[in-house]
Amino acid sequence: MDGVFEKRTRSAEQDGGAYQAFADDGVLRGCTISSTADTVAIAKGVMMVCGRIINFDSAETVAVNNPIQNGFGQLKLVINLNEPASESNLNQLYFDWAFSNTESGFAALQKDDINLGGKIYEYELGIATIQNLKVTSFKRTAPIAAAPVHTGNVKAGDSRPGRIWILEH
């Protein structure tokens, strides 16, 4: 048995699993996104991704590398627990691009439950429109994080892990 007490440590999986139960993926604070012809910038702020708190202590600028001539780019934040953990470098968290001729033509995101032994979790930050190898606009798709509230057809005594249930009287 373990818990959050003085002189006790919890794993990232334990904390992530607890946070994941209380809020869906999304922006907790800040993290506005802007773009230029060659980059996308995420402003200072905080996100929750699969229960993991991601702090943007300062703006992060992501280059749009090797885009397609015309089409769309999907900017993803990737948690990859196959990468070695390090105290000095955050190797397990990085940005990645996917490109498509159509806005809906991207492969499904890999969403392993990294708090229950999974290794890779991809999170879409937004979609760039690309013309002549340059970003012409960027649409943030990362929502504001919200508690997953369920109210329909729930009876007292129902138990479903990882969700908040509000029972209406």
Side-chain angles (χ1 to χ4, degrees):
M1 181 169 20
D2 200 1
V4 181
F5 296 95
E6 294 292 324
K7 300 186 181 188
R8 301 296 304 173
T9 57
R10 293 176 43 86
S11 70
E13 292 84 4
Q14 290 169 322
D15 276 350
Y19 293 140
Q20 186 179 17
F22 293 110
D24 291 331
D25 292 349
V27 175
L28 296 171
R29 181 180 68 239
C31 295
T32 57
I33 299 178
S34 59
S35 64
T36 68
D38 302 311
T39 64
V40 172
I42 299 102
K44 181 179 178 178
V46 181
M47 287 185 183
M48 174 143 18
V49 178
C50 198
R52 305 297 175 96
I53 304 296
I54 312 295
N55 290 307
F56 291 84
D57 298 326
S58 60
E60 293 282 338
T61 301
V62 184
V64 183
N65 294 323
N66 304 312
I68 60 175
Q69 179 74 30
N70 294 298
F72 299 89
Q74 178 188 50
L75 179 58
K76 301 181 285 186
L77 187 62
V78 179
I79 298 173
N80 183 346
L81 301 183
N82 292 312
E83 296 295 328
S86 169
E87 290 183 17
S88 58
N89 295 315
L90 189 51
N91 301 329
Q92 297 178 322
L93 181 69
Y94 52 85
F95 298 102
D96 193 23
W97 284 100
F99 298 100
S100 172
N101 291 322
T102 64
E103 191 170 359
S104 60
F106 299 105
L109 297 170
Q110 185 168 347
K111 292 193 174 280
D112 299 346
D113 189 339
I114 58 172
N115 301 313
L116 289 175
K119 297 296 182 188
I120 297 176
Y121 192 88
E122 297 178 319
Y123 181 65
E124 181 182 278
L125 295 173
I127 303 290
T129 301
I130 300 170
Q131 294 177 348
N132 297 319
L133 301 173
K134 300 293 181 188
V135 173
T136 58
S137 66
F138 188 86
K139 176 177 65 175
R140 182 178 104 175
T141 56
I144 302 299
V149 175
H150 304 275
T151 59
N153 298 322
V154 179
K155 297 178 180 76
D158 275 359
S159 174
R160 298 195 179 119
R163 295 291 178 238
I164 298 170
W165 295 90
I166 295 176
L167 302 178
E168 297 178 304
H169 299 289

